[in-house]
Amino acid sequence: MSEVLIVERIGAVERLTINRPDALNALNTAVRAALKSAFERITADESIRAVILTGAGEKAFVAGADIKEMANIGPREAEARSRATKTVHDAIARCPKPVIAAINGFALGGGFELALACDIRIAADNARLGLPEVKLAILPGGGGTARLSNLVGPAIARALCLSGDLISAERAFQLGIVTELAPKELLDEVVLKKAETLAALSPVALAQIKSVLDIAANADLDSALAAEAKAFALCFAAEDQKEGMAAFIEKRPARFTGR
Ligand code: CAA
């Protein structure tokens, strides 16, 4: 059996490719487990400084949770799956390195939700995104209702969740769901360039920024600003801050070590 997750290293960038192209990379139990353990490993590996997540084949990033695996389960198993999906998304969100979703085709249901758990979404111009769960008489059970509302506001989230309509990459870009579009044939190149740029930045600053943005999304303003002040202070305890500012003053590129 071929591996469900292809892992590649390109310098300090790790690329993870969900590899079930015949099922449009649908998320089954094996893919979820592989993703969770990959992000746990990446979190602990200092040599990895940015991550790309994409799907194999020409058609899809991920076309959702595996409907065939789910068709006959009951409510208890459904809840367990929703919780298991959350642990994958948590592993991505808590990974201190920036994670870019390279959306190379359909990003539907659980696939859209997986992309929403990433830090940055870059889409091929022919990609299509949506939460079509309602058409299966279920709902987005992998954080889609909350994450999409946080990202684009309740009106758009309601329209997409309740209709199950798919939107074009261009529309997703207009809504701020994806931050960059690339011609299909250039997507890998554009995403790798972005990942390499992020990988050259300070791992200390990137980790603090991720953490503070997560707090800001969930806390009241005072708590968020208090967390921001602490993270700001923490950066000044690291060699990277001294290096970053010295490099600016000396008009040379900075070399960040994560120390
Ligand atoms: N689960 C399992 N298999 C899937 C799948 C999925 N989510 N999406 C596609 N496939 C399989 C198809 O069954 C088909 O397999 P067979 O060749 O064995 O029949 C293969 O992938 C190719 O798919 P299609 O023939 O359907 O390709 P298409 O180009 O005609 O259509 C598509 C593409 C519009 C994406 C269509 O496949 C589709 O609608 N897929 C389902 C999308 C969906 O409903 N996703 C939400 C799933 S539920 C969910 O994600 C719950 C959650 O919140 C966690």
Side-chain angles (χ1 to χ4, degrees):
M1 202 175 76
S2 66
E3 50 193 337
V4 292
L5 191 66
I6 298 170
V7 177
E8 293 166 279
R9 266 305 276 277
I10 310 144
V13 175
E14 183 156 307
R15 180 161 53 205
L16 303 175
T17 303
I18 298 170
N19 185 32
R20 299 186 69 214
D22 293 346
L24 304 190
N25 303 316
L27 298 169
N28 63 7
T29 304
V31 174
R32 273 195 296 272
L35 281 172
K36 183 163 178 283
S37 73
F39 277 99
E40 285 166 355
R41 174 182 50 73
I42 289 166
T43 294
D45 184 340
E46 282 188 11
S47 68
I48 301 170
R49 290 172 55 163
V51 184
I52 297 168
L53 181 57
T54 193
E58 295 291 304
K59 275 179 78 172
F61 171 70
V62 170
D66 191 319
I67 298 169
K68 292 167 190 167
E69 199 184 62
M70 242 181 343
N72 292 314
I73 65 171
R76 218 183 268 270
E77 170 70 9
E79 186 171 347
R81 274 165 191 259
S82 182
R83 289 186 195 284
T85 301
K86 181 175 181 306
T87 66
V88 176
H89 295 168
D90 286 349
I92 296 174
R94 289 179 193 151
C95 175
K97 295 119 204 260
V99 182
I100 304 175
I103 302 176
N104 56 316
F106 288 111
L108 306 181
F112 189 7
E113 293 172 310
L114 181 66
L116 289 174
C118 297
D119 297 304
I120 295 174
R121 285 162 291 283
I122 303 180
D125 51 11
N126 69 333
R128 294 181 59 75
L129 299 88
L131 294 168
E133 285 90 339
V134 67
K135 295 178 182 169
L136 300 166
I138 60 168
L139 57 82
T145 53
R147 278 205 167 87
L148 192 60
S149 295
N150 285 347
L151 188 63
V152 296
I156 297 293
R158 271 169 198 263
L160 291 180
C161 290
L162 290 172
S163 68
D165 285 346
L166 306 195
I167 56 171
S168 65
E170 179 62 36
R171 179 73 180 136
F173 177 68
Q174 288 164 1
L175 291 171
I177 295 170
V178 305
T179 50
E180 211 173 322
L181 296 179
K184 181 179 164 50
E185 59 284 1
L186 293 181
L187 180 69
D188 284 349
E189 198 181 311
V190 167
V191 170
L192 182 57
K193 200 159 169 224
K194 174 74 73 188
E196 284 172 337
T197 305
L198 292 169
L201 298 173
S202 162
V204 176
L206 289 168
Q208 290 305 319
I209 291 167
K210 269 194 80 159
S211 151
V212 166
L213 284 169
D214 274 350
I215 294 170
N218 297 304
D220 62 274
L221 185 61
D222 273 354
S223 313
L225 295 181
E228 189 184 83
K230 277 228 171 331
F232 189 66
L234 264 170
C235 288
F236 281 80
E239 288 169 18
D240 276 356
Q241 173 269 326
K242 302 291 175 278
E243 166 62 9
M245 295 194 182
F248 173 79
I249 292 163
E250 293 159 19
K251 300 188 189 298
R252 61 171 174 83
R255 289 176 57 85
F256 295 116
T257 61
R259 301 273 167 259

